[in-house]
Amino acid sequence: MTFKPAKALVAPLFALIAITAIPAMAQNIAVVNGKPIPSSRADVMVKQLASQGQADTPQLRSAVKDELINREILMQEADKQGLNNSADVKAQLELARQSIVIRSLIGDFVKKHPISDDDIKAEYDKFRAQAGDKEYHVRHILVDNEDLAKSIIAKLNAGTKFEDLAKQSKDPGSAANGGDLDWATPASFVKPFSDAMVALKKGEITQTPVKTQFGYHVIRLDDVRPAKVPTLEEVKPQITEALQQRKLQAYQEELRKKAKIQ
């Protein structure tokens, strides 16, 4: 049997080590004090930045690499000082972990329960029916008690300007503008208010105070026009978002009912 000299075995051995090390190094973007930074971590950060509008370029990846190296250095120093064992840090880490996992759960739920075009169309039709085919330009004066509202109506009937009396309204959003609520559909208001509003003719005021959960209203109708209802395509994103939120709310309530809470 012939034995190869030791030197002849050295070169192939180092070559084998180098070959086997290449895939391992490819999985990391850097190694800091012996601790590797996996390339998957960089991929996640690049993906997050790309979702915010940044282009996935070599320059961005270089910046991400530097950022992750800096983070690793700081993390190692924090670990050396024992800060990772702080109760406050542990609590914040758990909250961050929950947020990430819950976000993933929500994303998975939305993917598995998409909003159909039929659902969107049905919601749009309901919206159109509620909105009605007319818009109303109204003013109002809101006060705390019925007697004050009646005295305001008497003053208006006697010729006092509505805009002057509106200054005493307890609705700060409209009091400074003569009680002006701008153009709106009946669905924009609570039912007692909208019922009284649509019963008026242009220029009329309510002769009886209108009671709602906010107080007593004196209402004047300034004008009426055909409603400008947005098209389905214009409101499709908002409707989709609203229906998704509704599904998620129902999902959460279902899980809560099943949970044992003590």
Side-chain angles (χ1 to χ4, degrees):
M1 180 177 291
T2 303
F3 289 93
K4 292 184 179 180
K7 288 184 178 180
L9 292 171
V10 172
L13 179 60
F14 276 124
L16 179 61
I17 291 173
I19 291 171
T20 56
I22 289 173
M25 289 298 294
Q27 295 175 4
N28 304 317
I29 59 168
V31 178
V32 180
N33 296 326
K35 187 172 181 180
I37 301 175
S39 57
S40 58
R41 192 179 303 168
D43 291 339
V44 169
M45 182 174 281
V46 168
K47 186 177 180 181
Q48 289 175 344
L49 293 170
S51 69
Q52 297 169 10
Q54 297 197 45
D56 183 353
T57 62
Q59 291 80 7
L60 177 64
R61 287 190 172 270
S62 177
V64 166
K65 178 180 178 179
D66 286 341
E67 173 65 17
L68 290 176
I69 289 173
N70 289 336
R71 289 188 181 196
E72 183 58 38
I73 292 170
L74 292 171
M75 278 296 297
Q76 289 183 20
E77 180 60 26
D79 289 344
K80 190 185 299 181
Q81 295 182 24
L83 296 177
N84 58 328
N85 294 319
S86 161
D88 183 57
V89 170
K90 286 182 178 180
Q92 291 186 58
L93 284 172
E94 177 57 21
L95 287 174
R97 186 190 71 83
Q98 287 183 354
S99 296
I100 294 168
V101 175
I102 290 171
R103 190 161 56 243
S104 178
L105 174 68
I106 290 173
D108 184 66
F109 178 86
V110 169
K111 188 184 297 183
K112 291 178 179 176
H113 301 82
I115 305 300
S116 70
D117 287 340
D118 288 343
D119 292 336
I120 295 171
K121 179 66 165 56
E123 190 69 14
Y124 176 74
D125 290 342
K126 190 189 303 182
F127 159 73
R128 287 202 60 170
Q130 290 174 345
D133 58 354
K134 293 180 181 178
E135 287 182 320
Y136 297 78
H137 189 184
V138 292
R139 297 175 185 268
H140 83 139
I141 302 170
L142 177 63
V143 293
D144 288 321
N145 64 79
E146 187 175 11
D147 289 338
L148 179 55
K150 287 180 177 178
S151 71
I152 289 172
I153 292 172
K155 290 176 182 178
L156 290 170
N157 289 336
T160 306
K161 289 185 65 177
F162 194 99
E163 290 78 2
D164 292 338
L165 294 176
K167 294 175 182 177
Q168 63 186 293
S169 175
K170 58 178 282 191
D171 175 11
S174 65
N177 298 314
D180 192 359
L181 293 176
D182 207 347
W183 289 97
T185 63
S188 304
F189 304 106
V190 293
K191 195 171 188 309
F193 189 102
S194 62
D195 286 348
M197 176 184 73
V198 299
L200 294 171
K201 295 179 181 178
K202 286 172 59 173
E204 286 185 342
I205 64 169
T206 50
Q207 292 302 304
T208 303
V210 179
K211 184 180 179 181
T212 71
Q213 65 264 45
F214 305 109
Y216 291 85
H217 306 258
V218 178
I219 305 169
R220 187 181 83 187
L221 176 62
D222 284 355
D223 205 354
V224 183
R225 71 183 183 188
K228 297 178 180 178
V229 181
T231 66
L232 174 59
E233 288 304 312
E234 288 174 333
V235 294
K236 188 174 182 178
Q238 296 94 312
I239 292 176
T240 303
E241 175 67 19
L243 291 176
Q244 284 178 341
Q245 289 300 322
R246 200 178 300 171
K247 277 193 175 186
L248 284 168
Q249 183 66 31
Y251 177 54
Q252 182 176 335
E253 290 173 358
E254 180 187 350
L255 291 176
R256 187 178 177 90
K257 287 177 183 178
K258 293 178 181 178
K260 184 180 180 180
I261 303 172
Q262 297 176 310

